[in-house]
Short mmCIF file of all heavy atoms in Angstrom, two decimals:
data_model
loop_
_atom_site.label_atom_id
_atom_site.label_comp_id
_atom_site.label_asym_id
_atom_site.label_seq_id
_atom_site.Cartn_x
_atom_site.Cartn_y
_atom_site.Cartn_z
N GLU A 1 20.29 43.54 -10.97
CA GLU A 1 19.07 43.74 -10.14
C GLU A 1 19.43 43.53 -8.66
O GLU A 1 20.42 42.92 -8.31
CB GLU A 1 17.99 42.77 -10.53
CG GLU A 1 17.60 42.77 -12.02
CD GLU A 1 18.38 41.71 -12.80
OE1 GLU A 1 19.47 41.35 -12.43
OE2 GLU A 1 17.80 41.28 -13.81
N VAL A 2 18.57 44.06 -7.81
CA VAL A 2 18.62 43.74 -6.40
C VAL A 2 17.75 42.50 -6.13
O VAL A 2 16.59 42.52 -6.48
CB VAL A 2 18.09 44.93 -5.52
CG1 VAL A 2 18.02 44.53 -4.04
CG2 VAL A 2 19.00 46.17 -5.75
N VAL A 3 18.37 41.47 -5.64
CA VAL A 3 17.64 40.23 -5.47
C VAL A 3 16.85 40.26 -4.19
O VAL A 3 17.39 40.57 -3.13
CB VAL A 3 18.63 39.03 -5.43
CG1 VAL A 3 17.89 37.72 -5.17
CG2 VAL A 3 19.37 38.94 -6.75
N ILE A 4 15.54 39.97 -4.26
CA ILE A 4 14.70 39.93 -3.07
C ILE A 4 14.10 38.62 -2.85
O ILE A 4 13.34 38.40 -1.89
CB ILE A 4 13.61 41.04 -3.14
CG1 ILE A 4 12.69 40.81 -4.36
CG2 ILE A 4 14.21 42.43 -3.21
CD1 ILE A 4 11.46 41.65 -4.39
N GLY A 5 14.35 37.64 -3.70
CA GLY A 5 13.80 36.30 -3.57
C GLY A 5 14.65 35.24 -4.25
O GLY A 5 15.33 35.54 -5.23
N ARG A 6 14.66 34.06 -3.70
CA ARG A 6 15.40 32.96 -4.31
C ARG A 6 14.59 31.70 -4.25
O ARG A 6 13.72 31.53 -3.42
CB ARG A 6 16.72 32.72 -3.55
CG ARG A 6 17.81 33.70 -3.78
CD ARG A 6 18.43 33.48 -5.14
NE ARG A 6 19.57 34.36 -5.37
CZ ARG A 6 20.24 34.40 -6.49
NH1 ARG A 6 19.90 33.62 -7.48
NH2 ARG A 6 21.31 35.20 -6.63
N LYS A 7 14.83 30.81 -5.20
CA LYS A 7 14.17 29.51 -5.14
C LYS A 7 14.58 28.70 -3.94
O LYS A 7 15.70 28.92 -3.43
CB LYS A 7 14.45 28.72 -6.43
CG LYS A 7 15.87 28.19 -6.57
CD LYS A 7 16.03 27.43 -7.87
CE LYS A 7 17.46 26.93 -8.03
NZ LYS A 7 17.87 25.95 -7.04
N GLY A 8 13.75 27.84 -3.52
CA GLY A 8 14.06 27.03 -2.34
C GLY A 8 14.72 25.75 -2.74
O GLY A 8 15.02 25.48 -3.91
N ILE A 9 14.91 24.87 -1.78
CA ILE A 9 15.52 23.61 -2.03
C ILE A 9 14.80 22.54 -1.16
O ILE A 9 14.35 22.88 -0.06
CB ILE A 9 17.05 23.57 -1.73
CG1 ILE A 9 17.66 22.23 -2.14
CG2 ILE A 9 17.28 23.87 -0.27
CD1 ILE A 9 19.16 22.26 -2.07
N ALA A 10 14.60 21.37 -1.71
CA ALA A 10 13.93 20.33 -0.95
C ALA A 10 14.67 19.00 -1.20
O ALA A 10 15.25 18.77 -2.30
CB ALA A 10 12.48 20.17 -1.37
N THR A 11 14.70 18.14 -0.22
CA THR A 11 15.32 16.83 -0.34
C THR A 11 14.30 15.78 0.03
O THR A 11 13.64 15.86 1.03
CB THR A 11 16.57 16.72 0.62
OG1 THR A 11 17.50 17.74 0.30
CG2 THR A 11 17.20 15.36 0.50
N PHE A 12 14.18 14.79 -0.89
CA PHE A 12 13.23 13.70 -0.67
C PHE A 12 13.97 12.39 -0.67
O PHE A 12 14.88 12.15 -1.43
CB PHE A 12 12.15 13.72 -1.76
CG PHE A 12 11.37 14.98 -1.90
CD1 PHE A 12 11.75 16.03 -2.69
CD2 PHE A 12 10.19 15.13 -1.15
CE1 PHE A 12 11.01 17.18 -2.82
CE2 PHE A 12 9.45 16.25 -1.26
CZ PHE A 12 9.85 17.29 -2.05
N ASP A 13 13.51 11.53 0.19
CA ASP A 13 14.03 10.11 0.22
C ASP A 13 12.96 9.24 -0.41
O ASP A 13 11.82 9.19 0.10
CB ASP A 13 14.31 9.66 1.65
CG ASP A 13 15.48 10.39 2.28
OD1 ASP A 13 16.46 10.70 1.55
OD2 ASP A 13 15.41 10.74 3.47
N ILE A 14 13.32 8.57 -1.50
CA ILE A 14 12.39 7.70 -2.20
C ILE A 14 12.91 6.27 -2.13
O ILE A 14 14.08 6.02 -2.56
CB ILE A 14 12.21 8.15 -3.67
CG1 ILE A 14 11.65 9.58 -3.68
CG2 ILE A 14 11.26 7.22 -4.39
CD1 ILE A 14 11.56 10.19 -5.10
N GLU A 15 12.13 5.37 -1.68
CA GLU A 15 12.55 3.98 -1.58
C GLU A 15 11.79 3.12 -2.65
O GLU A 15 10.58 3.16 -2.72
CB GLU A 15 12.24 3.42 -0.18
CG GLU A 15 12.69 2.00 0.00
CD GLU A 15 12.44 1.46 1.40
OE1 GLU A 15 11.76 2.18 2.19
OE2 GLU A 15 12.83 0.32 1.71
N ILE A 16 12.58 2.52 -3.48
CA ILE A 16 12.06 1.69 -4.56
C ILE A 16 12.36 0.21 -4.26
O ILE A 16 13.55 -0.12 -4.06
CB ILE A 16 12.67 2.04 -5.95
CG1 ILE A 16 12.53 3.56 -6.24
CG2 ILE A 16 12.02 1.27 -7.05
CD1 ILE A 16 11.13 4.03 -6.35
N ILE A 17 11.36 -0.60 -4.16
CA ILE A 17 11.53 -2.01 -3.82
C ILE A 17 11.07 -2.87 -5.00
O ILE A 17 9.93 -2.80 -5.43
CB ILE A 17 10.71 -2.42 -2.55
CG1 ILE A 17 11.23 -1.58 -1.35
CG2 ILE A 17 10.93 -3.87 -2.26
CD1 ILE A 17 10.39 -1.77 -0.12
N GLY A 18 12.02 -3.64 -5.54
CA GLY A 18 11.66 -4.53 -6.65
C GLY A 18 11.26 -5.91 -6.19
O GLY A 18 11.19 -6.16 -5.01
N LYS A 19 11.12 -6.80 -7.15
CA LYS A 19 10.84 -8.17 -6.85
C LYS A 19 11.74 -9.07 -7.71
O LYS A 19 11.74 -9.00 -8.94
CB LYS A 19 9.38 -8.53 -7.15
CG LYS A 19 8.99 -9.95 -6.86
CD LYS A 19 7.52 -10.17 -7.18
CE LYS A 19 7.12 -11.63 -6.94
NZ LYS A 19 5.69 -11.93 -7.28
N ALA A 20 12.56 -9.88 -7.01
CA ALA A 20 13.49 -10.72 -7.72
C ALA A 20 12.77 -11.88 -8.37
O ALA A 20 11.82 -12.42 -7.84
CB ALA A 20 14.56 -11.27 -6.77
N ALA A 21 13.23 -12.23 -9.55
CA ALA A 21 12.69 -13.40 -10.27
C ALA A 21 13.72 -13.94 -11.24
O ALA A 21 14.58 -13.20 -11.72
CB ALA A 21 11.42 -13.00 -11.04
N HIS A 22 13.67 -15.23 -11.57
CA HIS A 22 14.65 -15.80 -12.48
C HIS A 22 14.45 -15.21 -13.86
O HIS A 22 13.32 -15.22 -14.44
CB HIS A 22 14.45 -17.37 -12.52
CG HIS A 22 15.55 -18.07 -13.25
ND1 HIS A 22 15.57 -18.17 -14.59
CD2 HIS A 22 16.69 -18.67 -12.77
CE1 HIS A 22 16.65 -18.86 -14.98
NE2 HIS A 22 17.36 -19.13 -13.84
N ALA A 23 15.52 -14.76 -14.45
CA ALA A 23 15.49 -14.04 -15.74
C ALA A 23 15.11 -14.95 -16.87
O ALA A 23 14.56 -14.50 -17.90
CB ALA A 23 16.80 -13.37 -16.05
N GLY A 24 15.33 -16.25 -16.72
CA GLY A 24 15.00 -17.17 -17.80
C GLY A 24 13.61 -17.65 -17.74
O GLY A 24 12.86 -17.53 -18.74
N ASN A 25 13.20 -18.23 -16.63
CA ASN A 25 11.90 -18.92 -16.54
C ASN A 25 10.79 -18.06 -15.99
O ASN A 25 9.58 -18.32 -16.28
CB ASN A 25 12.00 -20.22 -15.71
CG ASN A 25 12.92 -21.21 -16.33
OD1 ASN A 25 12.97 -21.35 -17.56
ND2 ASN A 25 13.71 -21.94 -15.53
N HIS A 26 11.13 -17.05 -15.19
CA HIS A 26 10.08 -16.29 -14.50
C HIS A 26 10.31 -14.74 -14.64
O HIS A 26 10.01 -14.00 -13.74
CB HIS A 26 10.03 -16.67 -13.02
CG HIS A 26 9.74 -18.07 -12.77
ND1 HIS A 26 8.47 -18.57 -12.84
CD2 HIS A 26 10.56 -19.12 -12.49
CE1 HIS A 26 8.48 -19.91 -12.57
NE2 HIS A 26 9.75 -20.26 -12.37
N TYR A 27 10.79 -14.34 -15.80
CA TYR A 27 11.09 -12.92 -16.01
C TYR A 27 9.81 -12.06 -15.77
O TYR A 27 9.90 -11.00 -15.08
CB TYR A 27 11.55 -12.70 -17.43
CG TYR A 27 11.84 -11.29 -17.74
CD1 TYR A 27 13.11 -10.72 -17.47
CD2 TYR A 27 10.89 -10.41 -18.30
CE1 TYR A 27 13.39 -9.38 -17.73
CE2 TYR A 27 11.19 -9.08 -18.57
CZ TYR A 27 12.44 -8.60 -18.30
OH TYR A 27 12.70 -7.29 -18.54
N ALA A 28 8.68 -12.53 -16.22
CA ALA A 28 7.45 -11.71 -16.08
C ALA A 28 6.98 -11.61 -14.69
O ALA A 28 6.19 -10.73 -14.30
CB ALA A 28 6.32 -12.32 -16.91
N ASP A 29 7.48 -12.49 -13.79
CA ASP A 29 7.07 -12.39 -12.36
C ASP A 29 7.88 -11.33 -11.59
O ASP A 29 7.54 -11.04 -10.41
CB ASP A 29 7.28 -13.78 -11.72
CG ASP A 29 6.35 -14.79 -12.31
OD1 ASP A 29 5.24 -14.42 -12.74
OD2 ASP A 29 6.73 -16.02 -12.31
N GLY A 30 8.99 -10.87 -12.16
CA GLY A 30 9.86 -9.90 -11.49
C GLY A 30 9.37 -8.49 -11.63
O GLY A 30 8.55 -8.14 -12.49
N ILE A 31 9.85 -7.64 -10.74
CA ILE A 31 9.61 -6.19 -10.83
C ILE A 31 10.97 -5.49 -10.80
O ILE A 31 11.72 -5.66 -9.80
CB ILE A 31 8.73 -5.69 -9.67
CG1 ILE A 31 7.37 -6.37 -9.72
CG2 ILE A 31 8.55 -4.19 -9.72
CD1 ILE A 31 6.47 -6.05 -8.49
N ASP A 32 11.27 -4.77 -11.85
CA ASP A 32 12.58 -4.11 -11.98
C ASP A 32 12.55 -2.76 -11.30
O ASP A 32 11.95 -1.79 -11.80
CB ASP A 32 12.92 -3.95 -13.46
CG ASP A 32 14.34 -3.47 -13.66
OD1 ASP A 32 14.95 -2.88 -12.75
OD2 ASP A 32 14.88 -3.66 -14.81
N ALA A 33 13.18 -2.65 -10.12
CA ALA A 33 13.18 -1.38 -9.38
C ALA A 33 13.93 -0.26 -10.14
O ALA A 33 13.53 0.89 -10.08
CB ALA A 33 13.82 -1.57 -8.03
N ASN A 34 14.98 -0.64 -10.85
CA ASN A 34 15.71 0.38 -11.64
C ASN A 34 14.87 0.96 -12.73
O ASN A 34 14.90 2.16 -12.96
CB ASN A 34 16.97 -0.29 -12.27
CG ASN A 34 17.98 -0.67 -11.22
OD1 ASN A 34 18.22 0.04 -10.25
ND2 ASN A 34 18.61 -1.82 -11.41
N TYR A 35 14.06 0.12 -13.40
CA TYR A 35 13.19 0.58 -14.46
C TYR A 35 12.10 1.51 -13.86
O TYR A 35 11.77 2.57 -14.42
CB TYR A 35 12.51 -0.59 -15.18
CG TYR A 35 11.62 -0.22 -16.32
CD1 TYR A 35 12.09 0.33 -17.49
CD2 TYR A 35 10.24 -0.40 -16.16
CE1 TYR A 35 11.26 0.69 -18.50
CE2 TYR A 35 9.41 -0.04 -17.23
CZ TYR A 35 9.90 0.51 -18.37
OH TYR A 35 9.07 0.87 -19.39
N ALA A 36 11.57 1.11 -12.70
CA ALA A 36 10.55 1.95 -12.02
C ALA A 36 11.13 3.30 -11.66
O ALA A 36 10.48 4.35 -11.84
CB ALA A 36 10.02 1.24 -10.81
N LEU A 37 12.35 3.34 -11.18
CA LEU A 37 12.99 4.55 -10.77
C LEU A 37 13.23 5.44 -12.00
O LEU A 37 13.06 6.67 -11.92
CB LEU A 37 14.29 4.30 -10.05
CG LEU A 37 15.12 5.48 -9.61
CD1 LEU A 37 14.32 6.42 -8.66
CD2 LEU A 37 16.40 5.08 -8.95
N ALA A 38 13.70 4.85 -13.08
CA ALA A 38 13.95 5.64 -14.31
C ALA A 38 12.68 6.31 -14.79
O ALA A 38 12.67 7.48 -15.19
CB ALA A 38 14.51 4.72 -15.42
N ASN A 39 11.56 5.58 -14.75
CA ASN A 39 10.28 6.18 -15.16
C ASN A 39 9.85 7.29 -14.22
O ASN A 39 9.34 8.34 -14.63
CB ASN A 39 9.21 5.11 -15.23
CG ASN A 39 9.28 4.26 -16.48
OD1 ASN A 39 9.45 4.81 -17.57
ND2 ASN A 39 9.20 2.96 -16.34
N MET A 40 10.12 7.06 -12.90
CA MET A 40 9.75 8.08 -11.94
C MET A 40 10.54 9.38 -12.14
O MET A 40 10.01 10.47 -12.05
CB MET A 40 10.03 7.53 -10.52
CG MET A 40 9.54 8.50 -9.42
SD MET A 40 9.84 7.78 -7.79
CE MET A 40 8.65 6.38 -7.82
N LEU A 41 11.86 9.21 -12.48
CA LEU A 41 12.66 10.42 -12.74
C LEU A 41 12.15 11.20 -13.93
O LEU A 41 12.13 12.43 -13.91
CB LEU A 41 14.11 9.98 -12.94
CG LEU A 41 14.87 9.49 -11.72
CD1 LEU A 41 16.24 8.93 -12.12
CD2 LEU A 41 15.05 10.61 -10.74
N THR A 42 11.73 10.46 -14.95
CA THR A 42 11.18 11.10 -16.15
C THR A 42 9.91 11.88 -15.78
O THR A 42 9.71 13.02 -16.22
CB THR A 42 10.87 10.09 -17.24
OG1 THR A 42 12.08 9.39 -17.60
CG2 THR A 42 10.31 10.78 -18.47
N GLU A 43 9.07 11.26 -14.98
CA GLU A 43 7.81 11.96 -14.62
C GLU A 43 8.04 13.15 -13.72
O GLU A 43 7.39 14.15 -13.86
CB GLU A 43 6.92 10.93 -13.90
CG GLU A 43 6.41 9.79 -14.76
CD GLU A 43 5.63 8.71 -13.99
OE1 GLU A 43 5.47 8.91 -12.76
OE2 GLU A 43 5.24 7.71 -14.59
N MET A 44 9.00 13.05 -12.78
CA MET A 44 9.29 14.16 -11.92
C MET A 44 9.92 15.32 -12.71
O MET A 44 9.61 16.51 -12.47
CB MET A 44 10.25 13.72 -10.81
CG MET A 44 9.59 12.83 -9.75
SD MET A 44 10.55 12.52 -8.31
CE MET A 44 11.91 11.55 -8.99
N THR A 45 10.78 14.99 -13.66
CA THR A 45 11.39 16.07 -14.53
C THR A 45 10.34 16.77 -15.31
O THR A 45 10.37 18.01 -15.51
CB THR A 45 12.41 15.45 -15.46
OG1 THR A 45 13.44 14.79 -14.68
CG2 THR A 45 13.08 16.53 -16.32
N ALA A 46 9.28 16.08 -15.74
CA ALA A 46 8.22 16.67 -16.52
C ALA A 46 7.40 17.66 -15.73
O ALA A 46 6.67 18.47 -16.29
CB ALA A 46 7.32 15.55 -17.10
N LEU A 47 7.51 17.65 -14.38
CA LEU A 47 6.73 18.60 -13.55
C LEU A 47 7.34 19.99 -13.63
O LEU A 47 6.68 20.93 -13.19
CB LEU A 47 6.79 18.10 -12.10
CG LEU A 47 6.08 16.79 -11.81
CD1 LEU A 47 6.33 16.39 -10.31
CD2 LEU A 47 4.56 16.88 -12.11
#
């Protein structure tokens, strides 16, 4: 075919900030940035 259009490209900077907490006594107080990013990647892929 003769190509008359192409998909574009976009670059996004995403900043994920977690919250440190002691893994033994205060695990529930922490926020895992890696886990949040993994979920975000799954959601973006689903788009």
Side-chain angles (χ1 to χ4, degrees):
E1 305 94 332
V2 175
V3 177
I4 60 170
R6 284 286 187 182
K7 69 179 180 66
I9 185 171
T11 302
F12 299 90
D13 292 322
I14 301 174
E15 184 177 5
I16 309 294
I17 300 176
K19 180 181 178 181
H22 190 277
N25 296 324
H26 299 281
Y27 180 86
D29 295 330
I31 299 175
D32 189 339
N34 292 320
Y35 181 70
L37 177 60
N39 282 314
M40 184 179 293
L41 289 173
T42 301
E43 292 173 4
M44 289 189 293
T45 301
L47 295 174

